[in-house]
């Protein structure tokens, strides 16, 4: 494999340029160009793109890189660095040598950042900070240059940890918010923000996030029998009650979905008292949500939603009366459908006050 110095000399001569002419194009000294070609030193990383553009070649061509050769060198370096006797400092030196030849490879960036972080854990305060900052520098390169989702995910998680170690809450928040849609990684990162004015708030939001996620997960699980299903739904309801502490403006739609399943389960095992207890809770929750003032509706009250995907005018006119009337037509309620108690419940739901659904009501068969 040819070196970058050899390639600069070859490309310069092919284009009939003197060292002075090349130096003038790059705004460096002729002595600097001479040192590159004599392999005393390499060009600064900031000059790689201008050099490639000037010669009309890729950065890989400039460095004499072949993809197969680069991958082989990376694998060999990994084996050397993973060896038991190799220290963190030796590993860092090996990766930096490879970085000098392949400055735009995200795997190398990742390994350098990771090794700097390993060095930071063992050193004193001054070196700890220095290694953390260097690790952050290389992790940031990955976010700027790599499109590998797995690599970016690992980078986000560790970079967030580093900024917290450096007590840099501004950058820790920036990295957490790069997570996009809400998920486990982003939730965990925000809960660890090293800013005590915000820490408790974000921990509460994470708790709510997991509470809601748990409820939805339970509702989509398959159970061996109805008794197990009822136990799971009741447990989910208890966790939601503890998590939201009465804040049903946030989570009322989850409660209603849970009550849909739970009422059906109780009806299917002929437990009438529990069936009507859940139906009443369903009704109260639906009534509460339908009458929330503008600005307190769940779509405005949920900080995990990056944008309201529903039309604003329609978001506040959904009438849960129709939702209940549709779902209680389920066959699980056939046994009690003709009872006075069920009929009274249907009439109560039909008479629910609130804003009418913009698309009209459902046709419900008594």
């Amino acid at each position: 494999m040819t070196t970058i110095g050899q390639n600069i000399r070859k490309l310069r001569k092919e284009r009939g340029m003197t060292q002075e002419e090349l130096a003038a194009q790059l705004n460096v000294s002729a002595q600097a160009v001479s040192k590159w070609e004599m392999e005393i030193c390499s060009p600064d990383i900031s000059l790689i793109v201008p050099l490639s553009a000037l010669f009309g070649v890729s950065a890989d061509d400039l460095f004499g890189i072949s993809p197969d050769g680069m991958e082989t060198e990376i694998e060999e370096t990994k084996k050397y660095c993973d060896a038991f006797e190799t220290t963190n400092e030796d590993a860092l030196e090996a990766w930096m040598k490879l970085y000098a030849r392949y400055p735009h490879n995200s795997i190398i960036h990742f390994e350098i950042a990771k090794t700097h972080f390993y060095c930071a854990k063992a050193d004193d305060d001054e070196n700890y900070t220095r290694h953390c900052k260097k690790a952050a520098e290389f992790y940031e390169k990955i976010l700027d240059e790599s499109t590998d989702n797995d690599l970016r995910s690992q980078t986000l998680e560790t970079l967030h940890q580093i900024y917290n170690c450096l007590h840099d809450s501004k950058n820790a928040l920036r990295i957490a918010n790069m997570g996009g849609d809400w998920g486990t990684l982003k939730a965990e990162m925000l809960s660890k923000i090293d800013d005590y004015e915000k820490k408790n708030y974000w921990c509460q939001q994470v708790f709510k996030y997991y509470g809601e996620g748990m409820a939805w997960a339970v509702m989509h699980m398959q159970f061996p029998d109805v008794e197990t299903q009822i136990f799971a739904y009741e447990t989910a309801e208890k966790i939601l009650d503890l998590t939201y502490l009465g804040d049903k403006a946030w989570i009322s739609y989850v409660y209603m979905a849970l009550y849909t399943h739970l009422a059906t389960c109780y009806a299917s095992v002929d437990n009438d008292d529990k069936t009507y207890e859940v139906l009443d809770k369903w009704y109260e929750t639906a009534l509460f949500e339908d009458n929330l003032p503008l600005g307190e509706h769940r779509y405005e009250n949920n900080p995990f939603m990056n944008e309201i995907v529903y039309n604003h005018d329609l978001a506040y006119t959904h009438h849960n009366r129709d939702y209940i009337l549709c779902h209680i037509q389920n066959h699980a309620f056939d046994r009690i459908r003709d009872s006075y108690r069920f009929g009274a419940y249907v009439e109560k739901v039909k008479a629910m006050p609130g804003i009418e659904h913009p698309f009209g009501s459902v046709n419900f068969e008594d």
Side-chain angles (χ1 to χ4, degrees):
M1 182 179 112
T2 56
T3 66
I4 186 170
Q6 292 170 339
N7 286 327
I8 289 174
R9 185 172 184 273
K10 174 176 175 289
L11 291 165
R12 175 179 63 78
K13 289 197 167 189
E14 285 177 352
R15 285 152 183 77
M17 298 174 69
T18 65
Q19 290 183 342
E20 288 77 11
E21 288 171 338
L22 177 58
Q25 292 273 5
L26 298 170
N27 198 27
V28 298
S29 68
Q31 289 83 357
V33 175
S34 177
K35 287 180 179 180
W36 300 342
E37 294 184 359
M38 293 173 66
E39 300 181 40
I40 296 173
C41 64
S42 296
D44 186 86
I45 189 71
S46 63
L47 294 173
I48 300 305
V49 172
L51 270 168
S52 299
L54 185 62
F55 291 139
V57 298
S58 69
D60 284 354
D61 290 335
L62 192 64
F63 279 91
I65 296 171
S66 72
D68 291 341
M70 179 177 63
E71 290 175 8
T72 299
E73 288 188 66
I74 289 174
E75 287 304 315
E76 288 176 351
T77 305
K78 281 184 178 179
K79 289 178 182 177
Y80 166 74
C81 295
D82 290 342
F84 181 75
E85 67 275 7
T86 306
T87 66
N88 288 331
E89 289 74 15
D90 290 340
L92 186 57
E93 183 180 355
W95 284 117
M96 290 305 295
K97 285 180 179 178
L98 211 56
Y99 170 67
R101 293 164 62 184
Y102 309 116
H104 297 290
N105 184 281
S106 293
I107 295 174
I108 296 173
H109 296 166
F110 184 82
E111 295 296 337
I112 292 172
K114 184 174 68 174
T115 309
H116 266 298
F117 200 32
Y118 288 160
C119 291
K121 293 178 181 180
D123 280 329
D124 57 35
D125 289 344
E126 183 180 346
N127 279 331
Y128 178 85
T129 300
R130 178 174 63 84
H131 280 300
C132 280
K133 287 182 176 179
K134 291 300 292 185
E137 177 186 328
F138 279 93
Y139 278 129
E140 291 282 6
K141 288 179 183 289
I142 295 169
L143 297 181
D144 289 340
E145 299 177 13
S146 177
T147 57
D148 185 315
N149 288 332
D150 289 338
L151 198 61
R152 288 178 64 86
S153 178
Q154 294 178 65
T155 295
L156 286 172
E157 186 172 11
T158 310
L159 186 53
H160 178 272
Q161 182 183 351
I162 289 172
Y163 283 134
N164 272 330
C165 290
L166 294 171
H167 306 291
D168 186 349
S169 293
K170 181 179 179 181
N171 275 316
L173 277 169
R174 174 177 63 85
I175 295 302
N177 284 317
M178 289 178 69
D181 294 337
W182 271 87
T184 301
L185 174 61
K186 186 171 182 180
E188 288 182 350
M189 284 197 293
L190 282 170
S191 71
K192 296 171 184 173
I193 292 295
D194 189 20
D195 181 334
Y196 291 101
E197 292 181 359
K198 297 175 181 176
K199 189 177 185 71
N200 286 342
Y201 170 77
W202 284 114
C203 282
Q204 290 170 10
Q205 310 317 310
V206 171
F207 194 25
K208 289 182 176 183
Y209 173 81
Y210 282 125
E212 180 178 351
M214 180 279 306
W216 285 120
V218 167
M219 283 182 272
H220 287 89
M221 288 173 66
Q222 298 294 317
F223 298 96
D225 51 61
V226 178
E227 287 74 17
T228 306
Q229 194 172 10
I230 289 173
F231 174 78
Y233 291 148
E234 287 177 336
T235 303
E237 183 185 15
K238 289 175 183 176
I239 293 175
L240 289 176
D241 287 344
L242 289 171
T243 303
Y244 291 90
L245 299 175
D247 184 15
K248 286 195 175 181
W250 181 312
I251 206 71
S252 53
Y253 66 108
V254 180
Y255 273 104
M256 283 190 289
L258 187 61
Y259 293 149
T260 304
H261 292 279
L262 195 50
T264 302
C265 287
Y266 281 132
S268 68
V269 295
D270 300 342
N271 190 333
D272 291 357
D273 288 340
K274 281 290 188 179
T275 298
Y276 285 107
E277 179 184 323
V278 174
L279 286 174
D280 284 337
K281 287 194 285 188
W282 190 359
Y283 168 83
E284 294 296 334
T285 304
L287 188 65
F288 167 79
E289 189 193 39
D290 273 344
N291 289 280
L292 281 174
L294 191 67
E296 294 183 21
H297 195 277
R298 65 176 181 261
Y299 300 115
E300 291 289 349
N301 204 40
N302 189 339
F304 292 112
M305 296 193 71
N306 295 324
E307 60 180 343
I308 299 173
V309 295
Y310 297 92
N311 180 290
H312 272 267
D313 295 333
L314 300 185
Y316 297 100
T317 55
H318 179 69
H319 201 308
N320 289 304
R321 174 197 64 195
D322 298 334
Y323 175 79
I324 296 177
L325 292 179
C326 280
H327 281 282
I328 60 177
Q329 294 183 79
N330 189 293
H331 290 301
F333 298 102
D334 285 349
R335 185 185 57 80
I336 58 174
R337 193 172 303 285
D338 295 330
S339 68
Y340 171 80
R341 195 173 179 183
F342 190 77
Y345 179 78
V346 170
E347 292 305 315
K348 180 172 71 170
V349 173
K350 283 183 175 182
M352 278 176 64
I355 305 169
E356 289 296 322
H357 192 286
F359 304 116
S361 60
V362 298
N363 294 320
F364 179 75
E365 300 290 339
D366 282 335

